[in-house]
Amino acid sequence: MIPRRKPSSRFLLLTLTILLLINLSAFVASTELDEDEEIDELLAIDEQEDEEGSADQHHHVEQQKEAEVLTKAQRIVLELNSDSSNRVISENDFVLVLGYAPWDTRSAEIMPQFAEAANKLKELGSPIVMAKLDAERYPKAASALQIRGFPTLLLFINGTSQAYTGGFTGALVVKNLLKSLIFTKKTGDPVIRVNSVAEAEKFLETYHIYVLGLFDKFEGSDYEGFVKAAISDNGIQFVEVGDHGVAKVLFPDIKLTSNFVGLVKSEAERFTTYEGVFEMDKILEFLAYNKFPLVTRLTELNSASVYSSPIKLQVMVFGRDNDFERLIEPLQQVARKLKSKDFCLGLLHGSYPPYYKSQPVPDNKNATVQVVVGKTFDELVLSSPKKILLEIFTPWCINCETTSKQVEKLAKHFKGSDSLVVARIDASANEHPKLQVADYPTLLLYPEDDKANPIKLSTKSSGKDLAATINKHLKSKVSKDEL
């Protein structure tokens, strides 16, 4: 047996070195592989971030472009004030004025559409001037233009004001304004003259709603009143004739042979004769009261003209689409009978009580601030044996939020009081005949023994000052009781 030689130290060192090199190579290869994977992942992340960044940048650029276009368009709209409003209106044939309030949400929605329309009209080379007036900042100018609500659109033609009755989107504003421009400046004359039966028949192919004027001579005060009305009205086509036979084609029910004005509509009550004096204002008033059909279907397009109508007493019928087909004839019969009286006999005689809005009755069981609605105003405010601190607010009111926070603090401060109730009511959704408030927010303190005369508190006062004022009224009651 050959004895096994003991390995030398040199051999062991060599073996160890080889093993170390092998392991090191494997480690390096593994490390390189891990690093390659990490780099690939990082590159992928970088590419994704670059793509997202590029998309965000593109979106941002698009937003900037839109903002620049809007800003440019808004600069086209003239900003009126107390000094410039009359001058702008008198110096331009066509001016559309937007009366607005900075806090009004509907005004804020319409403003970009208004600017868009102004930009488009300028591109088309239209002479129509678009202007806006901050009615809150310039109340006297707004009052002079008869701007009473927000937003209000008024179209001035040759200095004469009339409620704008078109749509509110940018496209509809442009369409209706250009239509007004064409109607008023057709061929240099505001009225189409028809000289023969053939021309009358041709006219009827185009127009179904129009105002007919029959005159022996196209001159004199009556004729001038007719022409002035034609210039001022931007919604109905005016036509003039000098021959009774031609007039019969356009208005078969005509009885007079000269100096006649009548309105023709495409509905059941087709022909309406004007019986007043031939003055512009009177003729325009006649048209305002008679231009609508006996029964009008309310739509987004005609809502502005319906609500701006001088007929303020209106019957609203709500139903499904197929209901109207069945109801249209009986409704027309009722409307025809009541037309001269404007509204239903019950309302005219005062036998029907007015309708007041109200939200559903809320649960105030654990509420620190009691919520009052139209239905509970009598019970919780007017009939309560306690003093009532009532906050009157609307959701669109900018300053109401600050006042609401003050009221909530006051409610916590007076939580232990047996003689005071803190409450609030949303005036946009609730009405009551004894609650007539025009400014929001409003704070009213109702004494327990004189609910008809609430005390108005300043909403600009600090919480400390309001608490002191309320304490003063609470103590005065205690003093009276002691006496």
Side-chain angles (χ1 to χ4, degrees):
M1 180 178 178
I2 302 173
R4 182 176 297 175
R5 292 183 60 186
K6 189 176 182 179
S8 67
S9 59
R10 184 180 298 175
F11 175 77
L12 289 173
L13 180 61
L14 178 61
T15 304
L16 182 61
T17 302
I18 291 170
L19 289 172
L20 286 173
L21 286 172
I22 291 170
N23 290 331
L24 181 61
S25 299
F27 173 75
V28 169
S30 175
T31 304
E32 288 177 352
L33 183 61
D34 292 341
E35 287 178 352
D36 287 344
E37 289 176 352
E38 289 179 4
I39 290 171
D40 288 341
E41 288 177 4
L42 288 171
L43 288 173
I45 292 170
D46 288 343
E47 287 174 3
Q48 184 179 355
E49 289 178 350
D50 288 342
E51 288 175 2
E52 291 176 355
S54 177
D56 291 341
Q57 187 176 4
H58 177 71
H59 181 64
H60 180 66
V61 169
E62 289 298 317
Q63 284 185 323
Q64 273 190 321
K65 287 180 180 178
E66 290 176 7
E68 287 171 4
V69 170
L70 180 59
T71 303
K72 181 183 176 183
Q74 287 174 335
R75 284 199 296 266
I76 296 171
V77 178
L78 295 181
E79 183 73 55
L80 301 180
N81 54 44
S82 300
D83 298 325
S84 66
S85 58
N86 288 333
R87 175 174 53 79
V88 170
I89 291 168
S90 62
E91 290 179 357
N92 296 277
D93 294 338
F94 289 84
V95 183
L96 184 66
V97 176
L98 169 62
Y100 72 96
W103 45 260
D104 178 52
T105 54
R106 184 68 175 136
S107 295
E109 291 172 1
I110 288 177
M111 200 74 74
Q113 302 283 356
F114 194 73
E116 177 191 331
N119 195 37
K120 185 65 177 176
L121 288 168
K122 186 173 183 180
E123 289 176 1
L124 295 172
S126 168
I128 298 172
V129 174
M130 306 283 279
K132 60 184 179 181
L133 176 69
D134 184 342
E136 190 173 68
R137 186 176 180 183
Y138 304 106
K140 290 184 178 179
S143 177
L145 298 181
Q146 297 187 341
I147 295 172
R148 299 187 180 91
F150 311 115
T152 294
L153 281 175
L154 293 175
L155 178 60
F156 290 84
I157 300 178
N158 298 321
T160 302
S161 165
Q162 46 197 286
Y164 169 77
T165 57
F168 289 106
T169 65
L172 285 174
V173 169
V174 172
K175 177 183 175 182
N176 285 284
L177 288 180
L178 291 179
K179 179 181 175 184
S180 301
L181 183 65
I182 292 168
F183 274 4
T184 309
K185 292 191 172 181
K186 287 181 182 65
T187 57
D189 296 319
V191 185
I192 293 177
R193 182 173 297 178
V194 173
N195 297 307
S196 66
V197 171
E199 288 182 10
E201 292 172 346
K202 188 72 175 175
F203 177 87
L204 289 175
E205 291 177 6
T206 305
Y207 299 97
H208 304 287
I209 301 174
Y210 53 88
V211 179
L212 170 69
L214 170 63
F215 300 94
D216 284 336
K217 296 180 180 179
F218 299 118
E219 60 184 27
S221 59
D222 285 359
Y223 178 68
E224 288 175 3
F226 175 76
V227 172
K228 286 179 180 178
I231 292 172
S232 296
D233 187 279
N234 71 309
I236 306 175
Q237 180 61 58
F238 280 59
V239 57
E240 61 186 25
V241 299
D243 180 83
H244 185 265
V246 175
K248 289 280 287 184
V249 176
L250 299 173
F251 201 106
D253 290 355
I254 192 169
K255 300 292 190 297
L256 299 176
T257 56
S258 65
N259 287 29
F260 167 88
V261 170
L263 172 64
V264 180
K265 298 178 290 186
S266 57
E267 60 136 339
E269 192 191 37
R270 184 165 170 75
F271 303 102
T272 308
T273 299
Y274 174 65
E275 297 176 349
V277 295
F278 284 60
E279 295 176 358
M280 180 190 72
D281 291 342
K282 297 296 183 183
I283 294 173
L284 292 176
E285 183 180 352
F286 161 75
L287 296 179
Y289 275 94
N290 292 278
K291 64 184 178 181
F292 288 110
L294 287 170
V295 179
T296 302
R297 179 168 294 195
L298 190 65
T299 66
E300 185 178 357
L301 290 177
N302 68 13
S303 61
S305 55
V306 170
Y307 293 135
S308 64
S309 167
I311 304 174
K312 300 305 179 188
L313 295 174
Q314 302 174 357
V315 177
M316 295 287 183
V317 179
F318 299 90
R320 300 180 183 88
D321 282 341
N322 54 358
D323 291 337
F324 288 110
E325 295 177 6
R326 178 174 49 85
L327 292 172
I328 186 69
E329 189 173 338
L331 285 174
Q332 284 178 340
Q333 292 175 1
V334 172
R336 192 175 289 108
K337 289 179 181 178
L338 296 172
K339 183 182 175 185
S340 61
K341 299 177 182 178
D342 293 332
F343 207 56
C344 293
L345 293 174
L347 289 178
L348 285 172
H349 295 157
S351 59
Y352 292 158
Y355 170 78
Y356 294 100
K357 293 187 294 185
S358 177
Q359 291 175 304
V361 177
D363 181 9
N364 285 318
K365 187 175 181 181
N366 298 315
T368 307
V369 179
Q370 300 284 299
V371 176
V372 177
V373 297
K375 294 176 182 177
T376 61
F377 188 82
D378 283 323
E379 176 191 351
L380 298 182
V381 178
L382 300 183
S383 301
S384 173
K386 301 180 180 182
K387 285 183 173 66
I388 307 295
L389 175 64
L390 183 65
E391 173 202 357
I392 305 161
F393 73 98
T394 62
W396 44 259
C397 165
I398 294 174
N399 298 322
C400 286
E401 186 177 352
T402 302
T403 303
S404 292
K405 290 178 180 177
Q406 294 274 45
V407 168
E408 286 166 7
K409 290 178 182 178
L410 290 169
K412 291 177 181 177
H413 179 73
F414 290 102
K415 190 174 182 180
S417 174
D418 295 329
S419 58
L420 177 70
V421 174
V422 180
R424 62 165 54 112
I425 185 169
D426 179 354
S428 69
N430 299 280
E431 297 173 328
H432 191 278
K434 296 293 178 65
L435 184 67
Q436 302 296 326
V437 175
D439 301 319
Y440 308 105
T442 291
L443 280 178
L444 296 178
L445 181 62
Y446 288 83
E448 66 274 28
D449 54 356
D450 190 11
K451 294 294 173 66
N453 296 295
I455 302 161
K456 189 172 183 179
L457 306 182
S458 174
T459 56
K460 296 181 180 179
S461 298
S462 65
K464 184 179 179 181
D465 289 340
L466 285 171
T469 303
I470 294 168
N471 263 325
K472 179 181 175 183
H473 288 284
L474 291 175
K475 288 178 181 177
S476 67
K477 169 62 178 172
V478 173
S479 300
K480 288 179 183 178
D481 290 344
E482 289 175 352
L483 291 173

